[in-house]
Each structure stands twice: as C-alpha cells, then as structure tokens.
C-alpha cells in the first residue's frame, strides 16, 4: 500500500470534542452517520470515554497537511460480540469513519484515509488480525464505493432498525 504523506492521523483527545460536535451536525454526516441531532454535551458523553482510553476503541482524527478533515475509530470485533452476531463479521477489526469537513467530501479522501489508516494505524495496533470490516447503509453509495476502491469487498447485508446495511471486508496480505 502506498502512503500519501499529506494524510496523517493524530490520536483523538478531549480537545477534539468541539470539532466532533461541529462535524456531527453537518448535513452530510447527519445523512448516514449521526441522523439525530446531538448536543455538545452528548458528544462529550459518547466520545469522551473513547478519546480517553476508557473503551477498547482507538480513535483518530485524519489530517490533510495541517487541516483536520475526518474521524476514524477502530476496535477488535472480539470486544463487541453483538456487532459480530448482527453482521456475520468474523474475528478481525472493524472501523467507523466519516469525512467531517464538507470541502473534502467526494474528492477521494475517504478511500485514501481508509487505506492509510489500515496500513499505518489499525493493522499495526491489532497486529494479529487479518480482516477489517466496515458497514454502511445501502443508500450511502459514495462511502461503499470508497471502501471498494480501498480494497474492501461486500460480504453480507442485513436490515437493522429499518435500514438496509452492507458489510464489507478487507483482507490483509
């Protein structure tokens, strides 16, 4: 996997909560990632424990140069059995991610961010894992296309809470 030196990742910390609150309220993030309005206090309650290491998730902010533009979190599937049961995902890791800055949407940043995160962060942190999973609502064609371009392949689909979900898997060489 070739590395794009302009994209880097910084561990998410509590100082990023205001940025997360702003991103989670943008229309393009609300469309598929955060459909319900969320207050800054709710953002702190939900993401604070992940950003301070109180959960098994690892969380990062993606940067293009010095500009933060996206969010990624990664976790071992073994830590979230309900996720494995609902999706059919095997052992491995799963990622949740979004582009927060509207100016970076639809320009290829999601696939680059995803590929680099797997190569530089996720598989390094979870060194014994071979598979990585992402899931998206079936209507989120741009995100599905970005994941497929990054090397993910569709493996399953299911309905959850009225949404049709597509599960994709990446296999590390």
């Amino acid at each position: 996997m070739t590395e794009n030196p302009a994209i880097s990742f910084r561990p998410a910390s509590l100082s990023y909560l205001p940025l997360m609150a702003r991103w989670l309220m943008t229309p393009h993030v609300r469309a598929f990632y955060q459909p319900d309005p969320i207050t800054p206090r709710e953002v702190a309650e939900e993401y604070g424990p992940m950003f301070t290491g109180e959960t098994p998730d690892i969380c990062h902010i993606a940067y293009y140069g010095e500009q933060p533009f996206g969010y990624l979190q990664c976790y071992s599937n073994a830590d979230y059995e309900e996720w494995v049961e609902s999706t059919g995902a095997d052992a491995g890791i799963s990622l949740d991610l979004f582009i927060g800055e509207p100016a970076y949407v639809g320009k290829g940043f999601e696939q680059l961010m995803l590929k680099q995160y797997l190569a530089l962060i996720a598989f390094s942190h979870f060194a014994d894992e071979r598979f990585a999973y992402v899931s998206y609502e079936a209507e989120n064609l741009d995100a599905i296309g970005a994941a497929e371009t990054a090397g993910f392949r569709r493996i399953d689909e299911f309905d959850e809470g009225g949404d049709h979900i597509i599960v994709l898997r990446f296999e590390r060489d």
Side-chain angles (χ1 to χ4, degrees), residues 4 14 54 63 67 75 84 88 91-92 112 117 124-125 132 156 159:
N4 180 338
L14 295 178
E54 297 171 47
Y63 277 77
Q67 174 65 44
Y75 45 89
V84 174
L112 289 173
Y117 193 73
S124 295
H125 187 84
D156 201 2
D159 290 321

Side-chain angles (χ1 to χ4, degrees), residues 7 15 21 56 62 65 75 83 97 107 110 131 133 149 151 160 162-163 165 168-169:
I7 295 178
S15 66
Y75 45 89
W83 161 243
L97 65 144
K107 296 186 174 147
E110 186 163 350
F131 297 109
Y133 298 86
T149 301
E160 178 182 68
D163 295 320
I165 306 296
L168 300 99
R169 179 176 70 192

Side-chain angles (χ1 to χ4, degrees), residues 25-39:
M25 290 306 296
T26 59
H28 72 278
V29 175
R30 295 235 5 241
F32 294 108
Y33 194 89
Q34 179 63 47
D36 298 322
I38 189 168
T39 67

Side-chain angles (χ1 to χ4, degrees), residues 79-147:
D79 290 326
Y80 294 96
E81 290 178 21
E82 69 279 359
W83 161 243
V84 174
E85 290 170 9
S86 70
T87 64
D90 296 322
I93 58 176
S94 290
L95 293 92
D96 299 319
L97 65 144
F98 62 81
I99 301 275
E101 290 298 327
Y104 290 76
V105 174
K107 296 186 174 147
F109 281 93
E110 186 163 350
Q111 70 190 23
L112 289 173
M113 175 176 80
L114 189 51
K115 284 172 74 170
Q116 285 206 212
Y117 193 73
L118 287 172
L120 301 175
I121 305 291
F123 281 131
S124 295
H125 187 84
F126 298 101
D128 294 336
E129 300 298 349
R130 183 172 156 204
F131 297 109
Y133 298 86
V134 293
S135 65
Y136 301 103
E137 291 181 28
E139 295 83 23
N140 195 348
L141 299 176
D142 290 339
I144 292 168

Side-chain angles (χ1 to χ4, degrees), residues 153-165:
R153 300 293 169 249
R154 295 175 192 219
I155 62 156
D156 201 2
E157 52 189 87
F158 61 93
D159 290 321
E160 178 182 68
D163 295 320
H164 190 71
I165 306 296

